[in-house]
Amino acid sequence: MSYLVFIVAVGLFALLGAGGPLHRGGWFGAISRRVEAVELDLWPSLALRVGAPLLAGVVVLWILEAVLGGLAEALIGTALLYFAWGRGDYPTELQRFLARARVGDDEGASMLLTEPASVGMESESQGHRAMRDFGYRGFARWFPPVLYFWLLGPFGAAGYRLVALANTDSGGRFETAQRLLDWLPARLLLLTFSVLGDFERSRGLLTVEALDREVSTGALIAHGVERAWRLDPEGMDHPDGIVEAVEATQKAINRAAAVWVAIVSVIALI
């Protein structure tokens, strides 16, 4: 049943993208405003924001099971996993960035980035910043929900997305929880990059930087792509280097996603 739910949800996401009623966040914003009015501490506030929607999902599941039986689990599981996928039109935004970068429109390309410049790295190249941005967005929209779906079920995947939404809506107030949830899937993605690309150059990341708490998830993913695909960091301030870096990031994310689907399929068949 879990594999069927996974395949259907992946197919729907590939076909429909991050749109439709399940990806509209107005209701979550209303919950967040009510929780803020109570003025709870950090962790109780997050628990209420995440727990209330999950509890509502459990109640709906119980009601549907009384009517539909086992079919209710498949329907709710698919809906929750589809909900857990990331927001925004990532492929289109990435292509828009590439189109501007190819013609040297650095200012226009920078406007499409959501990640700020690294703290203490004022000289960070445009290409590396773009890799951090699109690398993390490509990671967070798909890989953690997949991992938590298989570890904890559809409610685990939905819980990840609710934490991400709470962190975004609060301006980064729950960044600690977000980084904690990102830790394991980011390292597994880094391992996937190493296997797909240059393992020798990537090995240091797995043994050193992957264990450094000061390195952000986006920076770690960017370094993983850079080393596995043998990118030249010196040229990432020039249009050609920026384009090459972002295209390599897109390739790495897409190939890693295919590998994860293949691994899940093999495990399900076994």
Side-chain angles (χ1 to χ4, degrees):
M1 179 68 76
S2 294
Y3 182 65
L4 178 61
V5 167
F6 175 72
I7 291 299
V8 171
V10 168
L12 288 174
F13 190 60
L15 181 64
L16 303 176
L22 289 177
H23 282 176
R24 293 173 187 167
W27 61 271
F28 187 78
I31 292 176
S32 295
R33 288 190 293 272
R34 289 178 181 272
V35 174
E36 285 292 338
V38 181
E39 297 183 353
L40 296 172
D41 290 336
L42 181 69
W43 293 107
S45 174
L46 179 62
L48 189 55
R49 294 169 197 250
V50 174
L54 293 182
L55 180 59
V58 171
V59 171
V60 171
L61 176 59
W62 285 345
I63 294 173
L64 289 180
E65 279 184 332
V67 179
L68 302 175
L71 180 60
E73 182 180 353
L75 292 175
I76 294 299
T78 301
L80 288 173
L81 183 55
Y82 185 78
F83 164 81
W85 304 135
R87 275 52 178 165
D89 192 350
Y90 171 79
T92 299
E93 292 169 5
L94 188 147
Q95 291 304 321
R96 288 174 60 196
F97 177 90
L98 287 174
R100 296 187 181 187
R102 287 189 180 105
V103 297
D105 183 6
D106 291 343
E107 183 176 351
S110 295
M111 292 175 62
L112 296 172
L113 300 179
T114 58
E115 285 283 311
S118 292
V119 177
M121 292 184 61
E122 293 79 5
S123 61
E124 181 184 28
S125 66
Q126 173 84 327
H128 192 269
R129 183 187 169 198
M131 289 177 69
R132 281 197 301 112
D133 186 279
F134 286 109
Y136 182 76
R137 286 157 68 182
F139 157 78
R141 73 193 293 263
W142 199 84
F143 293 92
V146 169
L147 180 62
Y148 290 118
F149 171 78
W150 287 104
L151 291 179
L152 304 173
F155 284 95
Y160 172 85
R161 185 53 56 197
L162 289 169
V163 171
L165 291 174
N167 189 49
T168 301
D169 286 356
S170 64
R173 182 184 175 193
F174 306 108
E175 185 64 25
T176 300
Q178 182 71 62
R179 292 191 66 170
L180 182 64
L181 292 177
D182 283 341
W183 195 93
L184 180 58
R187 273 65 186 174
L188 291 177
L189 179 61
L190 195 65
L191 178 60
T192 308
F193 288 164
S194 301
V195 173
L196 291 172
D198 190 328
F199 184 81
E200 287 300 319
R201 290 191 61 185
S202 305
R203 186 169 54 184
L205 283 175
L206 297 171
T207 57
V208 180
E209 292 182 55
L211 303 178
D212 187 348
R213 296 182 180 180
E214 299 300 320
V215 179
S216 70
T217 304
L220 186 65
I221 292 171
H223 288 313
V225 175
E226 179 184 317
R227 295 193 188 180
W229 270 262
R230 303 178 184 179
L231 299 179
D232 179 13
E234 299 297 328
M236 289 190 187
D237 264 330
H238 303 290
D240 290 344
I242 294 171
V243 170
E244 181 185 9
V246 175
E247 286 180 338
T249 302
Q250 181 185 32
K251 180 193 301 182
I253 293 292
N254 290 342
R255 289 185 177 179
V259 168
W260 281 37
V261 170
I263 292 174
V264 167
S265 299
V266 170
I267 293 175
L269 291 174
I270 295 175

